Amino acid sequence: MNQPEPTTPVETTVTALPPDGDQHGAPGHGAGRRRTMSMWDKDLVRHSLGQSLRKLDPRALTHNPVMFVVEVGSLFATADAFRYLASDKMGLFSFTGQIAIWLWLTVLFANFAEAMAEGRGQAHADELRRTRTETEARKLTPQGIQVVPATALQVGDVVVVAAGEVIPGDGEVIEGIASVDESAITGESAPVIRESGGDRSAVTGGTTVLSDEIQVKITAGRGESFLDRMITLIEAGVRQKTPNEIALALLLAGLTLIFLVVVVTVAPFSTYSHAVVSVTVLIALLVALIPTTIGGLLSAIGISGMNRLLERNVLALSGRAVEAAGDVNVIMLDKTGTLTMGSRQASAFVPAPGVDERQLAEAAQLSSLADETPEGRSIVVLAKERYGIRAPDLDGGAVEFVPFSAQTRMSGVDLDGRQIRKGAADSIARWAEVEIDPQTKSTVEEISRAGSTPLLVAENRRILGAVELKDVVKPGIKERLASLRAAGIKTVMITGDNPITANAIAQEVGVDDFLAEATPERKMDYVKSIRAEGYMVGMVGDGTNDAPALANADVAVAMNTGTMAAREAGNMIDLDSNPTKLIEIVEVGKQILITRGALTTFSVVNDVAKYFAIIPAMFVVAYPGLEALNIMHLTSPETAILSAIIFNALIIPALIPLALRGVRYRATTAVAILRKNLLIYGLGGLVVPFAGIKLIDMAVTALHLVSTAH
Amino acid sequence: MTWQGILQIFVLLAVVTVVGFFLSKYMYNALEGGRTFMDRVLVPCERGVYRICGIDPTVEMRWTRYVFALLMVNVVGFVILMILLALQPVLTIFNPAHMPQVPFWVNLNTSISFMTNTNWQNYGGETTLSYLSQMWLTVQQFLSPVTGICLLLAVVRGFSRHNANTIGNFWRDFIRTLLWVAIPLAIVGAVVLIALGSPQNLHAYTVVHTLQGHKQVIAQGPVASMTSIMQLGDNGGGFFNMNAAQPFAGPNAASIVFQLILGFSVPVACIFLFGKMVKNTRQARPIYWSMVILFVIGALVLYHFEAVGNPALAAHHIHLAASHNLEGKETRFGTGTTSLFENSTTTISWGSVIASNDSLTPIGGLVPLFNMMTGEVIFGSWGAGMIGMIAYAVLALFLAGLMVGRTPEYLGKKIESFEVKMAVLSMVVPSLVILVLSALSVALPAGKSGIFNPGPHGLSEVLYAFSSGVGNNGSAFGGLSSATPWYSATVGLAMLLGRFPMYIPLVAMGASLAKKQRIPESAGTFPTHGPLFTVLLTGTVVVVGALIFFPALALGPFAEQFAAHAGKLFGG
């Protein structure tokens, strides 16, 4: 499967500023409501450069043992360089000084990577924070409406918000209906409807009412609003380590410890072997061996994963949930709106005995001409497509449309003495005052059984036949489900339909399983039972009835349009309220893990080449025969060591784009992914540094940076 | 190299694979609750032991209790051995040669050695020990490999069980392994060895006058029984100082080949036992193949360098008709069999030798050294080699497994921070011990004074001693006076650290895995049964081992080999 079609541009999309907001002097702030940020945004780079210097503070580095060791090493190397300077050994000073410089750069590059990732997250948070303007609220009190600052509102207060006003806090609509602009949060400019009661009653502070007036009961106190939490989470998410990240950090710390011992013991071994090895060379060996590449990029990978979700307008309430998304192996999808279009489309005309199919189609089309519902329009279109029946121009004649009503449950047209009606089977039968013939009756039953809706069409009290209205499967969804299956992820369809209907649709869509006649309890029990089998469950929900199941799922994505209960139960919120987003979330989760694994493998196997550069250089004086290990034919011991250290430093910035963007993920079998990634990052990690170090060595030799004497 | 010499590597592997495969079925039935043909005889014995010791074999243990019981058995064996060696002059029974007290440091070293399945021989067997001491050493040679199987069972149950707090009953595992596996196989082995020419008696040493008129003392005793369990249990603690090269311990080629098969049988069976225990025999394949690949590479490299001989000869324009490096080898066995044997002894953690490893060519000597440095995971000793390989598998999966886009999992169990911590710990400890103790030995006068050969060869000797100790191998490179207090104490420490601190974390890891739920396998699961995983696992063992030890090896074997090419030698 291809990279999921992003609903937003792939580049970072920062939510829009409110019209009167501070413009934060960023270049590229276009005419639209969104500002996109390229990977190397000038401001961001400048900010990150400053941050990377600030992060040199050893206290800031203690969370990263690998880089901490590099920094301590840099200090020693610097001291060593100055010692040579003081004793006027210029050749050694030049070499040691250059090593020290590259060691410092290694730390700076790692800091820069982290700062870049953090900066992108911070930019999101800043943009959100600016939307939190000091609004005034019209609070409803027994004395009438009182104007108070929004910050003074308490849980339980009721406020009145009219068109053009900003909703002062998170709450629930208790009276009225209004269209609301939620772009401040979602970046989506199309207004949404919010009304009291039902599943669309939640409103968010900072959003603007566009029409009508609503009464909102405040449900979150100061600093606890959705917006507040979102800002805190984006900022805190930056520092939270996920379980997997902790485990990897442990492994890296273990490797660092081992290599520390390796290098420390090299000193007595060299003394025993009468080989003279300076402290700086030992430090260079240590830094080359410890996994600096992954150590420097690890936190950037995690943070940028969160950012990628934000770019897709998904807010994860914890990094743990994002990581869990990669592990999800069952995803539960609502039938309506997720798998199917949610609107029924005419798919077939089935005439009654003795009736011409074309005649039925024509009658059905006529009866639907004034029907502006998607179903009605689809009948007109189908008749045109199948039989080329053009809708007649009815302006001149004596035409009277009969609109649909809840009582009659049918609609139609009276035209030149022809009375045509379409509607539910029993309504039409009642209108026509005839028994439905057995063949049509069985047609109707068959259609219902297949999960579709049958409509009967009658003309002048004669039943012409049935129209099948089918819930149409979303385009591309079948392929997407198939690729999920290939990646080992089971899909489960949730529907309120009966099991027979559900089965028919499940087979058509291509899901692995379905849950029919779903009730809140059944959904929750289903989630619990498959989790007990060891599966990790991902689920999307919006209604209050989804909340119990969401609370039990491993990755629970709540729609932003959903109820408060659903949002509370979820561990991610989709600001776009797009139910297929779950699939993208799973892919982002996997991408984070793949990127980590790929760079870890790359980093560790890199050491092989570095050994072949440094070890002969260190010992060739004591044992000239070891020149045989200098398989890259590096010019001199000094150029070899310097080249290895330069490579070690430069590989970090070279991989920053990969860390921030993530390794590409295609939903396919684990074997295929592994084979590809092992080839690129495993074998590549073995070969690339040989070439890289050789090239750097040629440059170092050409520039005479250090002694090239053999 | 001759084709026969190469062929015998593969023939040996084929034979031990067949033996190990059938033995694994028997072991699985005996240890995991099936039925075996020995039940009729052994079940009453087992019940008797339980009754006498007051053991309830049905009680399930948490890992801490399991490990505690395991340590107790080892400590008791250790204490008894120390007392016996200290009181040798007092305990006059079975001491016809009137062996005196064993010096304290040698005693300590030997007692640790025989507790940890290292069986490093700091003593000269026939010149130091009474028959009673030798007999208890034989008992220890049963206890330590059986302990290894218990460790394996505990770790593998972490994968085979789920949502479980306990990992089995130590006493049951211990006694069944002893009764069903160790004792019957040792008896069979001893009988065959007697048939092949090894003595088995309790006579005093025979003094004979040779034709040249010299007086010669011919040592003898319960040789066959001790050799049998020494080779079967991958102990290597031989009756004689010369170990299997002594004609009574290794009377002929047939005996040597039989001893090889005996040594491989249980370690190979452990691989298949693992597959059976996790109810997926395919999972044993990559582990088997990784071990085979590493074994074959080692055997061929070792054989090649021995067959080519010493490069210094060519450098000095000395051309011999047969360039084979025959120094320190038994001419009865020649280069091919010796190379195979020495590679085997360091893969199955045997420690039994038929040559002086000190006299191998530098790279030839590097092979056994590297086999031990990687943690004796190429087959390894009873249970321990397999667990070590599982730890490598966990690390390999954690390093590369993330690349499939899921939290790494092995056999349906998620590998999380605790597992990584334990696997890393079991990897850090041994490498740290080898490097630190070797570094101290070449830095301190006490260590340096024990090195006979200066230069790179001396470093190899020191590295070998500690690798052998940590790897619980027990073979010696030679050329190092290891009976000094410094080496007795430090190698003793290495043996201790290379046993319990290396494997107990892995039992803890197993216990943590046992608690977890099993994740159903799907197309998204990292496949751990195919060639891809074999490559990954083999690569991990080599790369991790090489990364940790390359600097030390560069100054040891590599420096010596390249110097020899230039005609430079480092004489002692």
Side-chain angles (χ1 to χ4, degrees):
Chain A
M1 179 165 100
N2 290 318
Q3 193 83 334
E5 289 170 40
T7 49
T8 58
V10 179
E11 291 175 306
T12 317
T13 308
V14 179
T15 46
L17 305 171
D20 56 344
D22 154 19
Q23 303 263 319
H24 188 54
H29 179 26
R33 291 187 63 83
R34 277 152 193 259
R35 186 167 71 92
T36 55
M37 193 197 286
S38 79
M39 183 162 289
W40 302 105
D41 181 274
K42 223 182 284 169
D43 268 6
L44 181 60
V45 170
R46 200 176 310 137
H47 173 81
S48 304
L49 284 174
Q51 276 295 315
S52 44
L53 281 171
R54 215 159 299 146
K55 281 168 181 276
L56 283 177
D57 182 347
R59 282 166 302 180
L61 277 179
T62 44
H63 73 276
N64 188 342
V66 180
M67 280 303 144
F68 185 77
V69 167
V70 180
E71 185 169 34
V72 173
S74 316
L75 277 171
F76 274 104
T78 311
D80 212 23
F82 280 109
R83 204 165 50 83
Y84 287 126
L85 184 66
S87 53
D88 210 27
K89 291 177 181 158
M90 290 321 281
L92 281 169
F93 167 71
S94 164
F95 170 71
T96 313
Q98 288 185 59
I99 294 280
I101 289 170
W102 283 103
L103 294 183
W104 283 113
L105 283 174
T106 311
V107 184
L108 285 175
F109 288 150
N111 287 348
F112 179 70
E114 193 178 87
M116 284 283 283
E118 279 174 359
R120 288 153 75 89
Q122 196 62 47
H124 285 290
D126 288 347
E127 297 282 356
L128 288 170
R129 183 172 284 129
R130 268 193 299 284
T131 64
R132 208 170 41 167
T133 44
E134 280 299 317
T135 17
E136 307 235 288
R138 291 194 291 145
K139 182 174 155 190
L140 205 59
T141 63
Q143 290 80 39
I145 293 175
Q146 248 181 341
V147 179
V148 294
T151 46
L153 289 174
Q154 297 192 332
V155 177
D157 286 351
V158 176
V159 294
V160 181
V161 192
E165 290 179 341
V166 174
I167 297 174
D170 284 9
E172 211 168 320
V173 182
I174 52 172
E175 210 182 296
I177 173 166
S179 60
V180 177
D181 172 9
E182 293 196 335
S183 60
I185 304 228
T186 62
E188 191 58 60
S189 51
V192 293
I193 301 293
R194 290 284 175 264
E195 60 185 334
S196 60
D199 285 350
R200 293 188 297 171
S201 63
V203 288
T204 311
T207 57
T208 312
V209 174
L210 291 179
S211 70
D212 305 285
E213 184 175 276
I214 44 173
Q215 284 186 18
V216 176
K217 189 175 176 185
I218 300 296
T219 52
R222 197 182 166 196
E224 294 166 13
S225 75
F226 183 62
L227 203 58
D228 287 320
R229 266 197 316 177
M230 196 154 146
I231 294 165
T232 345
L233 283 166
I234 295 171
E235 290 177 333
V238 165
R239 281 163 219 107
Q240 253 175 22
K241 277 190 178 177
T242 59
N244 193 269
E245 211 175 342
I246 293 169
L248 190 52
L250 260 168
L251 180 70
L252 298 183
L255 287 174
T256 306
L257 177 69
I258 290 178
F259 287 127
L260 197 61
V261 173
V262 168
V263 171
V264 167
T265 54
V266 163
F269 290 147
S270 340
T271 312
Y272 167 85
S273 311
H274 308 292
V276 184
V277 179
S278 74
V279 174
T280 301
V281 169
L282 285 179
I283 290 169
L285 176 65
L286 175 64
V287 172
L289 291 181
I290 61 177
T292 46
T293 312
I294 180 66
L297 296 172
L298 184 59
S299 58
I301 296 168
I303 300 164
S304 62
M306 296 280 273
N307 289 343
R308 276 202 298 282
L309 277 184
L310 269 172
E311 284 157 21
R312 290 178 160 88
N313 273 343
V314 174
L315 172 67
L317 303 189
S318 74
R320 190 182 274 264
V322 183
E323 208 171 80
D327 286 343
V328 158
N329 41 18
V330 171
I331 62 178
M332 302 187 42
L333 299 164
D334 264 321
K335 182 194 88 175
T336 314
T338 307
L339 300 174
T340 63
M341 300 285 265
S343 62
R344 291 164 301 180
Q345 306 264 309
S347 62
F349 297 110
V350 188
V355 179
D356 182 30
E357 201 171 322
R358 195 188 158 85
Q359 191 189 349
L360 169 66
E362 191 211 15
Q365 189 189 47
L366 280 173
S367 71
S368 306
L369 282 178
D371 188 349
E372 280 303 315
T373 62
E375 289 90 346
R377 263 177 304 185
S378 75
I379 293 176
V380 176
V381 170
L382 185 73
K384 200 166 118 190
E385 277 174 2
R386 287 272 169 89
Y387 306 103
I389 307 172
R390 296 207 143 266
D393 188 3
L394 299 173
D395 283 350
V399 185
E400 198 190 332
F401 289 110
V402 182
F404 178 85
S405 82
Q407 276 81 43
T408 59
R409 290 168 64 220
M410 59 188 182
S411 62
V413 63
D414 291 343
L415 165 78
D416 302 334
R418 290 168 74 184
Q419 282 189 312
I420 308 172
R421 295 288 182 277
K422 70 167 201 292
D426 49 345
S427 314
I428 293 292
R430 208 175 310 122
W431 175 76
E433 293 164 350
V434 290
E435 280 283 303
I436 305 172
D437 63 282
Q439 195 186 327
T440 308
K441 210 170 191 166
S442 73
T443 307
V444 166
E445 278 164 12
E446 245 168 63
I447 292 173
S448 331
R449 210 166 23 243
S452 303
T453 311
L455 287 183
L456 283 189
V457 179
E459 183 173 349
N460 298 342
R461 322 252 157 204
R462 178 183 170 211
I463 291 176
L464 298 178
V467 180
E468 183 180 3
L469 292 181
K470 210 171 180 179
D471 199 353
V472 180
V473 174
K474 276 193 177 174
I477 203 83
K478 268 180 104 156
E479 291 72 20
R480 205 158 226 207
L481 294 181
S483 66
L484 281 176
R485 186 171 312 113
I489 298 171
K490 261 174 75 170
T491 47
V492 180
M493 178 182 83
I494 308 171
T495 170
D497 294 337
N498 63 58
I500 298 166
T501 311
N503 188 26
I505 298 172
Q507 295 208 340
E508 191 186 340
V509 180
V511 290
D512 298 290
D513 199 2
F514 62 86
L515 179 67
E517 290 168 351
T519 61
E521 292 80 46
R522 276 177 58 90
K523 283 191 226 179
M524 183 180 71
D525 291 344
Y526 189 85
V527 171
K528 279 187 175 168
S529 72
I530 51 175
R531 284 198 72 216
E533 287 170 39
Y535 288 99
M536 298 265 292
V537 183
M539 184 188 166
V540 179
D542 54 358
T544 303
N545 64 354
D546 291 324
L550 281 176
N552 279 289
D554 297 281
V555 175
V557 184
M559 302 280 183
N560 190 39
T561 54
T563 59
M564 220 35 159
R567 283 205 227 164
E568 293 286 335
N571 51 19
M572 285 192 201
I573 290 171
D574 177 18
L575 302 175
D576 293 342
S577 303
N578 170 8
T580 43
K581 197 69 82 61
L582 181 56
I583 300 174
E584 288 173 38
I585 295 171
V586 167
E587 287 170 350
V588 170
K590 287 193 179 295
Q591 236 188 350
I592 295 176
L593 295 175
I594 292 176
T595 310
R596 266 190 215 139
L599 292 184
T600 308
T601 310
F602 186 83
S603 192
V604 172
V605 292
N606 263 205
D607 282 2
V608 175
K610 294 180 204 159
Y611 258 142
F612 277 101
I614 298 180
I615 292 294
M618 280 171 80
F619 302 132
V620 77
V621 177
Y623 297 120
L626 287 178
E627 179 61 24
L629 290 178
N630 180 12
I631 53 175
M632 284 175 272
H633 298 292
L634 305 178
T635 314
S636 76
E638 290 200 349
T639 62
I641 294 170
L642 186 63
S643 305
I645 289 302
I646 294 178
F647 176 83
N648 193 53
L650 288 182
I651 196 74
I652 297 177
L655 291 173
I656 288 179
L658 183 71
L660 296 188
R661 212 178 40 228
V663 171
R664 261 191 99 164
Y665 171 74
R666 284 164 180 279
T668 169
T669 59
V671 189
I673 299 176
L674 185 66
R675 196 175 297 135
K676 194 181 116 215
N677 288 336
L678 263 184
L679 211 64
I680 298 175
Y681 300 99
L683 205 61
L686 205 61
V687 177
V688 166
F690 278 101
I693 293 173
K694 177 69 191 171
L695 285 175
I696 294 170
D697 183 75
M698 285 158 72
V700 166
T701 309
L703 296 171
H704 290 285
L705 290 181
V706 288
S707 159
T708 50
H710 217 65
Chain B
M1 285 166 98
T2 61
W3 66 266
Q4 292 94 335
I6 295 170
L7 183 68
Q8 70 176 351
I9 298 171
F10 296 96
V11 171
L12 174 74
L13 281 173
V15 172
V16 298
T17 301
V18 172
V19 171
F21 181 76
F22 286 104
L23 184 58
S24 75
K25 285 188 170 179
Y26 169 77
M27 282 173 72
Y28 179 72
N29 287 335
L31 302 176
E32 287 288 283
R35 283 166 172 276
T36 68
F37 65 94
M38 298 288 279
D39 287 5
R40 195 173 300 180
V41 187
L42 293 175
V43 167
C45 300
E46 186 196 12
R47 285 211 190 106
V49 174
Y50 290 152
R51 201 165 302 135
I52 294 163
C53 304
I55 293 167
D56 178 358
T58 58
V59 176
E60 282 284 324
M61 293 179 174
R62 283 169 184 274
W63 79 269
T64 39
R65 230 182 116 194
Y66 194 98
V67 167
F68 182 75
L70 182 145
L71 286 176
M72 277 306 103
V73 169
N74 280 273
V75 167
V76 167
F78 167 79
V79 170
I80 292 176
L81 182 57
M82 272 208 87
I83 292 171
L84 285 181
L85 295 182
L87 299 184
Q88 241 178 205
V90 187
L91 301 166
T92 47
I93 47 162
F94 301 133
N95 191 3
H98 302 290
M99 294 297 178
Q101 186 183 22
V102 179
F104 176 76
W105 288 111
V106 176
N107 183 346
L108 182 70
N109 183 291
T110 308
S111 301
I112 293 176
S113 175
F114 278 78
M115 169 173 67
T116 55
N117 195 19
T118 312
N119 317 312
W120 165 272
Q121 283 175 292
N122 213 338
Y123 58 94
E126 69 275 34
T127 57
T128 322
L129 301 181
S130 70
Y131 287 161
L132 181 66
S133 301
Q134 293 269 34
M135 280 175 185
W136 190 257
L137 289 185
T138 311
V139 172
Q140 285 295 98
Q141 301 210 47
F142 278 97
L143 300 190
S144 65
V146 169
T147 301
I149 295 290
C150 293
L151 288 167
L152 174 70
L153 293 174
V155 173
V156 178
R157 283 187 191 128
F159 294 99
S160 64
R161 296 185 174 189
H162 54 103
N163 304 329
N165 278 322
T166 56
I167 51 169
N169 181 298
F170 170 76
W171 302 114
R172 184 184 167 280
D173 293 343
F174 185 82
I175 287 161
R176 286 190 84 96
T177 310
L178 190 64
L179 290 179
W180 265 261
V181 186
I183 293 174
L185 287 177
I187 292 173
V188 172
V191 170
V192 174
L193 286 174
I194 292 169
L196 290 171
S198 288
Q200 175 80 4
N201 59 43
L202 289 175
H203 302 321
Y205 298 163
T206 312
V207 180
V208 295
H209 296 275
T210 61
L211 292 173
Q212 286 95 349
H214 296 299
K215 211 172 92 174
Q216 189 184 352
V217 178
I218 298 177
Q220 52 192 319
V223 178
S225 62
M226 188 149 165
T227 306
S228 172
I229 187 60
M230 130 178 150
Q231 306 299 45
L232 172 72
D234 302 318
N235 293 291
F239 196 90
F240 303 106
N241 197 21
M242 276 171 70
N243 210 299
Q246 215 275 2
F248 282 172
N252 45 47
S255 177
I256 290 297
V257 169
F258 176 72
Q259 289 178 35
L260 273 172
I261 295 168
L262 210 53
F264 274 98
S265 57
V266 175
V268 174
C270 283
I271 308 171
F272 301 117
L273 177 65
F274 164 78
K276 287 189 201 311
M277 281 180 72
V278 301
K279 303 272 185 297
N280 188 348
T281 47
R282 289 188 311 169
Q283 296 291 349
R285 282 185 220 163
I287 293 186
Y288 171 79
W289 283 112
S290 293
M291 290 179 176
V292 166
I293 291 168
L294 291 168
F295 180 86
V296 170
I297 293 173
L300 290 177
V301 170
L302 178 53
Y303 184 26
H304 168 78
F305 279 90
E306 291 313 300
V308 167
N310 192 341
L313 293 173
H316 287 285
H317 307 290
I318 302 166
H319 297 286
L320 303 173
S323 65
H324 286 212
N325 174 30
L326 277 174
E327 189 197 296
K329 289 189 182 63
E330 250 284 14
T331 43
R332 286 184 295 154
F333 307 128
T335 317
T337 308
T338 306
S339 300
L340 177 60
F341 197 95
E342 298 313 296
N343 186 51
S344 303
T345 194
T346 46
T347 51
I348 55 174
S349 190
W350 232 2
S352 172
V353 290
I354 57 169
S356 167
N357 284 355
D358 202 21
S359 301
L360 296 176
T361 59
I363 300 295
L366 169 76
V367 170
L369 189 55
F370 194 72
N371 286 341
M372 296 187 297
M373 282 174 164
T374 51
E376 296 268 359
V377 292
I378 310 166
F379 300 109
S381 65
W382 286 32
M386 186 63 210
I387 313 175
M389 207 47 146
I390 292 175
Y392 270 111
V394 166
L395 282 176
L397 277 168
F398 198 84
L399 280 170
L402 283 169
M403 282 197 283
V404 302
R406 282 202 359 200
T407 298
E409 60 198 66
Y410 190 35
L411 306 166
K413 295 299 183 74
K414 260 192 194 165
I415 300 166
E416 290 165 304
S417 33
F418 185 77
E419 287 74 38
V420 171
K421 206 189 290 176
M422 291 302 120
V424 167
L425 193 62
S426 89
M427 183 177 74
V428 170
V429 169
S431 24
L432 208 132
V433 172
I434 295 174
L435 288 174
V436 170
L437 291 179
S438 303
L440 286 174
S441 296
V442 298
L444 299 175
K448 267 207 290 220
S449 64
I451 303 170
F452 289 158
N453 306 77
H457 197 76
L459 183 60
S460 301
E461 286 165 358
V462 172
L463 286 170
Y464 196 102
F466 290 109
S467 302
S468 177
V470 167
N472 294 145
N473 182 283
S475 69
F477 207 50
L480 190 71
S481 56
S482 58
T484 61
W486 168 261
Y487 285 107
S488 294
T490 49
V491 174
L493 184 68
M495 293 187 288
L496 209 52
L497 292 174
R499 183 72 167 180
F500 302 110
M502 179 167 174
Y503 296 116
I504 290 173
L506 297 178
V507 176
M509 178 185 89
S512 158
L513 290 169
K515 286 198 187 108
K516 297 187 185 197
Q517 200 165 36
R518 187 175 298 142
I519 307 161
E521 202 181 322
S522 74
T525 311
F526 187 118
T528 52
H529 51 73
L532 200 59
F533 188 60
T534 309
V535 172
L536 186 64
L537 186 58
T538 315
T540 305
V541 174
V542 173
V543 169
V544 169
L547 288 183
I548 296 175
F549 293 106
F550 190 64
L553 294 175
L555 288 173
F558 284 111
E560 193 186 0
Q561 181 81 22
F562 292 124
H565 278 290
K568 187 170 164 37
L569 296 172
F570 300 88

